Amino acid sequence: MASTIGGTPLEHAAQVVESKQQADRKFPVISELLHASSSSEYEGAIPAEWQVVTKQRAVALPDALFEQYDLLECRCFMGLFPEIGRAWITVDHRLFLWNYEDETDFYSFEGQEQIIVSVALVKPRSGVFVEAVTHVLVVATPLEVFLLGVGHRGGARGGEVTLYATQISVAADGVAMTCIAGAHDGRVFMGGNDGGLYEFEYRASDGWLTKRARKVNLTASVASYFVPTFLAGRRDTPALAMAVDDARRLLYVLLQDASIRVYWLGAQGDEFVLVHHHRTVGSAAALLCPQFNEGSEAAPFEIASLHVIPLSESRTLGLVAVTGGGSRLYFSTVQRAQRFYDNAARATADRPEVFEVVHVRLAPDAQPGAATRAALMPRALRVHAAFYGGGTALMAHAWSEDHDAVVGAAPACAQILGRVARQPRASLVELAAAPRVEGRTWAIAELSSGARALNDLATVSATPTRTFAVLTNAGVTVLEQQRPVDMLRALIGQPAVADAQLREFIAAYGLDETCAMCFTLLCADDAAQHSGGMHVLGAARRVLFELGGVPHFAEAPAFPTAATADATGSE
């Protein structure tokens, strides 16, 4: 017999690493975890240091912006542009870009006199602007919609932003654009309060028979151009929000009646075809999940936001709709027969044949649980802003008049891995938390970038901690999604670590993973810079030496024995 299982010790180590990588690759994708028609299992974080979402810092609005707010006469809107590290705020006809990283740095634009009703940051069309223009700011008023070039140079504390006048505009004809969305190739779509969907087409210069810019009504019939406005009859339902899926060439439009339209943009991205209109989203969700009880005559069913699921996360699930009650509805444009195996589904930008709700994920408050979690979670959610990406959901709930609770949910990797080892198909289990923020939430966006894996145990050393910005009328609160290694850092960073809490952590994640996290903490470049860094490093060493077992070295004999000689063919 051989002296080692895989030949030399180095080969044996390579086999161990490969086996662990294969185990990591077996972690299910999101569609495999949502194989049933509904789910509602959540885990509460015990102790408090295990919270999956925590507050990192809060940045108050500058006093100068509060002074501008005091001058408000008609309307005020605000939102986030994480691509350039800015929050935007409109006060009547004035537009402000606030650098929340630098806190007091903000840029004001007052080059027009009309009330601003909508603002969006989109990708520029190729060949139209100079190289310094990295983004285009679309500003809509009731009289016109115009473009501003945005130059962003990244750097510390938000970098630098420069606005360029483009002299590109189109008449709005009294239509207030309620929402604006841009595709990666520069197409700009707008939803009007008259129920129409428009496209802002622009080019580098005027042509012989075409203008440099024009507004195209994408949903109007040919006959509507010959009928006077007072004879036009009933208007279509206005749009509330839009979401562009660049990979699948789709535009999702959420209407005020909680229905969703799906437009196909063509294989080359130059078309606009209505392929589906789901008018009964709430009823479809109730059929899949009897516990789903949102919507009544007193409180109609509402959808707070739409979020695209990229192909890198799932080939069968394409859209998530967050409801006003905090549930998540997952949609698919793939035929039922092809949805059973996500990896086997073909990644395509073809015209979709179906659009249907395939899974209902109930809100964290909908699943009875431990008393500790019940005390932290609202009994019934009223969501008015939401974010979803990379398996993580954040939903702003009106906790009181002065504070919101941001309900966060993310996959519980340890519990899912444990189920994968015991049964063929595992279901989604999530950790939930609800930190409170000051003010009323307007927008939530992710600040960190890069690809995200559901299994954060496998990527703990390769990806940084995810951070999110929550914009309220009081400022920006930065939230941090704690990875298991971050939870361990918070746990052992306490002045006195309770053995019961540490053993509970080890029971949840396993001794191997816990020791690996200790090595990650010890080897991190910025380990000493974290809060209580030296104390954490000392505690990580103690965990390794006291609970990690005794290391040993299996030294190969200097001269081959009879057994090794037979195994290796030596004479």
Side-chain angles (χ1 to χ4, degrees), residues 330-364:
Y330 291 80
F331 292 81
S332 178
T333 57
V334 177
Q335 293 282 2
R336 181 180 180 86
Q338 302 176 13
R339 289 202 300 264
F340 290 101
Y341 300 99
D342 189 278
N343 293 331
R346 187 165 57 96
T348 177
D350 295 341
R351 177 171 175 163
E353 298 180 2
V354 298
F355 178 67
E356 55 189 358
V357 186
V358 297
H359 186 87
V360 177
R361 179 71 177 173
L362 295 178

Side-chain angles (χ1 to χ4, degrees), residues 248-309:
R248 300 179 180 90
R249 303 288 189 181
L250 298 175
L251 173 68
Y252 300 100
V253 181
L254 172 64
L255 305 182
Q256 289 183 0
D257 59 1
S259 65
I260 301 175
R261 289 179 180 172
V262 184
Y263 292 91
W264 186 54
L265 304 181
Q268 305 302 321
D270 54 359
E271 300 182 42
F272 191 84
V273 182
L274 175 64
V275 289
H276 296 287
H277 186 182
H278 204 315
R279 294 180 173 85
T280 57
V281 175
S283 300
L287 289 175
L288 290 175
C289 179
Q291 292 80 17
F292 182 83
N293 57 2
E294 297 184 32
S296 63
E297 293 185 1
F301 170 70
E302 295 181 352
I303 295 177
S305 58
L306 301 179
H307 308 274
V308 172
I309 301 177

Side-chain angles (χ1 to χ4, degrees), residues 293-463:
N293 57 2
E294 297 184 32
S296 63
E297 293 185 1
F301 170 70
E302 295 181 352
I303 295 177
S305 58
L306 301 179
H307 308 274
V308 172
I309 301 177
L311 282 172
S312 59
E313 295 182 19
S314 176
R315 295 188 177 187
T316 58
L317 300 178
L319 184 73
V320 176
V322 180
T323 69
S327 297
R328 277 167 278 159
L329 310 182
Y330 291 80
F331 292 81
S332 178
T333 57
V334 177
Q335 293 282 2
R336 181 180 180 86
Q338 302 176 13
R339 289 202 300 264
F340 290 101
Y341 300 99
D342 189 278
N343 293 331
R346 187 165 57 96
T348 177
D350 295 341
R351 177 171 175 163
E353 298 180 2
V354 298
F355 178 67
E356 55 189 358
V357 186
V358 297
H359 186 87
V360 177
R361 179 71 177 173
L362 295 178
D365 66 308
Q367 174 68 12
T372 303
R373 193 182 81 250
L376 295 174
M377 290 294 171
R379 301 300 299 174
L381 297 184
R382 300 186 303 277
V383 175
H384 53 270
F387 166 87
Y388 180 88
T392 298
L394 299 174
M395 299 168 285
H397 159 79
W399 182 272
S400 64
E401 292 184 1
D402 300 324
H403 291 82
D404 276 357
V406 180
V407 179
C413 299
Q415 290 84 340
I416 294 173
L417 285 171
R419 296 186 179 190
V420 170
R422 297 191 304 267
Q423 56 194 30
R425 304 185 74 179
S427 300
L428 179 62
V429 184
E430 291 181 312
L431 296 174
R436 301 181 194 177
V437 297
E438 182 182 357
R440 182 77 166 179
T441 302
W442 280 80
I444 306 175
E446 183 168 6
L447 302 181
S448 50
S449 59
R452 300 295 175 185
L454 289 182
N455 184 10
D456 51 14
L457 288 173
T459 59
V460 63
S461 301
T463 58

